[in-house]
Amino acid sequence: MVLGGLAVAAEPPLPLRSDYAFTADVKVKAPVVVGQAPLGLRRFIPITGGTVAGPMLKGRVVAGSGDWQVVRGDGVISLEARYTLESDDGVRI
């Protein structure tokens, strides 16, 4: 491989690894339709609360969190999820 004009040996990528952290049981309200935009229908899904539980975290989902979505014309939903969590010992994440 050539990088910045220098030949460097290509290293194989490190294998991916993931560990189960927790499951979130989230309570939601009905979608709030923001409106049609060039990329699709924009909407917001309000989070009203919930719980998280697993080997790495136990606590709750803080109300006021939510999913911002764009529903494309082909039916695919692109979303940005923003959740605030609070651990059983009071730490906000």
Side-chain angles (χ1 to χ4, degrees):
M1 166 182 6
V2 177
L3 181 63
L6 301 172
V8 294
E11 302 254 345
L14 296 174
L16 296 177
R17 179 188 155 161
S18 64
D19 293 319
Y20 169 69
F22 60 86
T23 296
D25 181 14
V26 181
K27 297 182 181 2
V28 300
K29 289 179 84 172
V32 175
V33 175
V34 177
Q36 193 64 39
L39 297 178
L41 178 67
R42 292 191 173 272
R43 62 186 188 181
F44 171 69
I45 311 296
I47 303 295
T48 61
T51 59
V52 291
M56 296 184 187
L57 179 66
K58 289 182 178 44
R60 68 184 187 99
V61 180
V62 178
S65 302
D67 293 336
W68 285 258
Q69 302 180 344
V70 176
V71 183
R72 299 185 338 198
D74 60 3
V76 172
I77 298 175
S78 171
L79 72 90
E80 181 178 339
R82 293 185 182 188
Y83 293 16
T84 301
L85 308 177
E86 184 176 290
S87 66
D88 280 348
D89 60 356
V91 176
R92 290 222 169 163
I93 304 162

